[in-house]
Amino acid sequence: MNRLDMPTSVHWHGVRLENGMDGVSGLTQAPIAPGDSFAYRFPLQDAGTFWYHAHHRSYMQVAQGLYGALIVDEPERPDIDADEALLIDDWRLDPETVQIRADFDNRHDHSHAGRLGNLVTVNGAFTHEGARPQNSRLRLRLINAANARVFRLGVQGMSAWVMALDGMPVAQPWPLNQPIDLAPGQRVDLFADITAAPGTQAHLVDIAQNGEGWALASWTAQTGGTRLPRPAPQPLPENPQMAVPVIDIARQVQLDMTGGAMRGLREARYQGQMLDARSLAMQGKFWAFNGRAGDMDSPLLSAFQGETLRLRLHNNTAFAHAMHLHGMHFREVLPNGSTGPMRDTVLMQRGQTRDIAFVAHSPGKWLLHCHMLGHAAAGMITWIEVLA
Ligand code: C2O
Ligand code: CU
């Protein structure tokens, strides 16, 4: 039931579902008008950490908090002592009124690094605090709900393993010895064993560009824990029927990302017309995929159900982008030809070229866009058609 005074829709980020339930207003459904309701009904195929958020003017609605965590449990609970979902966000508040600033259409944000906030929260609070016996194993489900901020996450006083990315278990967990980047839309599941001495704290930290850490969440190690340290964790059970892309047979498609400040668009197609930079800016478009600035009339490509696709993403802009594909997880094709873990969102640093491959297993219209939501609104959005 939409109790807002504007239309909306709900997208189930990372969830494998039928296209009609994907919640993309204007592509898979009509926007839900104020006072109207829409029933999202779909079976859950995968266990893991997902999230849901508004997908109508998302750059505005998500920035105001229209999102939540969607946790699907494994059939059998893994060997852990606690399970905590942490939604990390940054908000742009007006320092005077302490209200969310309503400058959602800010052109500077849209054409630069996106809407960055001035207050970081975890589950809507300034800090997240807990207390656990030493040697407890926490499952931390970290979700980046920010519009544009990339968090660089590390731990202190805990030893952690990466167990799953974007809701999908990794084949072999690895120890979190290096900070991990979490781009908007991405998730990581950690198993984190508290190693801090009793009475001291273990932390989840965001590591700023200058190398300084900032605690996002802290757990006090309690005394009296009788637990012994556990061995390295076993992988989480694989989700069912994940199609593995066979790279040799993949159809290759190029996706060239251009525009933004510093390397502005000279021209691009919008609503079926070629526009120059000035006209594009008047439409609020600053970015393009393959020379099209959010031109949604036709898809980037049409595939047959079951076809394997390999997209070569080339970030020819001066900014980072978090490319998200709806409905189907992909694997990165690494330079040595092997494939990386399954993901639904990939962080593209400026200048990078990366290949992602996936089996187009599900028919329908699937969005592909930058999850820095102002970028998507300003042209970084397209879709893929999978024919049944
Ligand atoms: Cu989480 Cu189209 O997005
Ligand atoms: Cu972007």
Side-chain angles (χ1 to χ4, degrees):
M1 174 67 144
N2 179 9
R3 296 189 200 283
L4 308 174
D5 56 11
M6 59 176 86
T8 193
S9 66
V10 185
H11 169 56
W12 312 90
H13 183 124
V15 176
R16 282 197 282 172
L17 40 56
E18 169 201 327
N19 192 242
M21 295 289 120
D22 199 41
V24 179
S25 91
L27 186 71
T28 66
Q29 69 171 94
I32 308 163
D36 277 2
S37 55
F38 185 95
Y40 292 98
R41 213 171 264 132
F42 47 88
L44 293 166
Q45 305 181 47
D46 300 319
T49 303
F50 303 97
W51 67 303
Y52 58 93
H53 60 79
H55 217 302
H56 176 84
R57 299 241 214 163
S58 24
Y59 69 102
M60 179 184 264
Q61 297 191 352
V62 174
Q64 293 176 94
L66 276 184
Y67 61 76
L70 176 62
I71 307 300
V72 186
D73 288 328
E74 288 84 19
E76 275 175 59
R77 186 182 160 98
D79 176 32
I80 50 171
D81 299 309
D83 188 328
E84 301 189 37
L86 303 179
L87 278 144
I88 309 169
D89 197 357
D90 70 336
W91 308 79
R92 184 178 290 178
L93 301 184
D94 184 316
E96 306 266 293
T97 61
V98 205
Q99 296 296 308
I100 296 170
R101 280 185 57 179
D103 59 339
F104 306 108
D105 288 297
N106 185 313
R107 286 161 173 264
H108 185 273
D109 292 340
H110 283 192
S111 58
H112 290 72
R115 181 184 177 89
L116 299 171
N118 49 11
L119 173 72
V120 174
T121 62
V122 176
N123 294 346
F126 298 115
T127 52
H128 177 90
E129 304 249 359
R132 299 282 173 196
Q134 195 190 27
N135 295 328
S136 300
R137 176 165 282 177
L138 310 186
R139 179 182 191 160
L140 301 179
R141 302 170 182 269
L142 311 177
I143 304 170
N144 184 350
N147 268 49
R149 185 180 296 276
V150 178
F151 293 97
R152 177 158 286 185
L153 302 173
V155 292
Q156 285 170 7
M158 306 197 270
S159 65
W161 282 267
V162 174
M163 301 301 296
L165 294 167
D166 296 348
M168 294 293 169
V170 298
Q172 194 54 57
W174 64 85
L176 186 72
N177 296 328
Q178 298 283 326
I180 188 168
D181 281 338
L182 201 65
Q186 290 185 324
R187 288 89 66 215
V188 59
D189 285 42
L190 301 177
F191 279 8
D193 295 354
I194 297 199
T195 55
T200 67
Q201 284 193 314
H203 304 283
L204 171 73
V205 291
D206 177 26
I207 298 148
Q209 263 175 10
N210 62 11
E212 263 175 56
W214 169 273
L216 292 172
S218 304
W219 294 266
T220 302
Q222 294 167 316
T223 45
T226 52
R227 285 202 164 279
L228 295 172
R230 286 182 174 84
Q234 294 299 308
L236 292 166
E238 234 182 280
N239 280 316
Q241 295 167 344
M242 297 302 318
V244 179
V246 179
I247 305 309
D248 302 342
I249 60 164
R251 168 153 62 110
Q252 291 205 34
V253 179
Q254 187 99 7
L255 188 128
D256 200 24
M257 307 157 64
T258 53
M262 269 96 91
R263 300 192 193 166
L265 285 178
R266 227 168 278 141
E267 54 173 19
R269 187 167 289 279
Y270 176 66
Q271 291 190 334
Q273 283 192 350
M274 278 312 274
L275 299 183
D276 62 12
R278 212 172 134 263
S279 319
L280 288 166
M282 276 167 44
Q283 301 291 337
K285 303 296 170 202
F286 300 103
W287 309 91
F289 287 160
N290 289 354
R292 297 168 60 192
D295 188 31
M296 294 289 285
D297 298 347
S298 59
L300 172 75
L301 63 90
S302 287
F304 291 104
Q305 189 176 6
E307 190 175 359
T308 303
L309 296 166
R310 175 176 182 166
L311 298 186
R312 174 153 299 171
L313 309 175
H314 179 46
N315 180 3
N316 195 11
T317 79
F319 296 88
H321 302 285
M323 293 294 290
H324 171 48
L325 176 63
H326 282 217
M328 292 163 288
H329 278 69
F330 52 77
R331 290 178 188 267
E332 183 167 353
V333 185
L334 301 167
N336 68 5
S338 67
T339 51
M342 265 181 283
R343 301 223 65 148
D344 61 36
T345 305
V346 61
L347 178 60
M348 300 285 304
Q349 299 292 356
R350 63 171 145 185
Q352 273 186 342
T353 299
R354 303 173 81 142
D355 284 23
I356 60 169
F358 61 97
V359 180
H361 56 69
S362 194
K365 298 175 173 181
W366 302 105
L367 218 56
L368 172 65
H369 65 94
C370 179
H371 220 287
M372 291 161 175
L373 300 171
H375 290 173
M380 289 202 135
I381 189 163
T382 185
W383 54 286
I384 284 174
E385 179 178 47
V386 182
L387 304 165

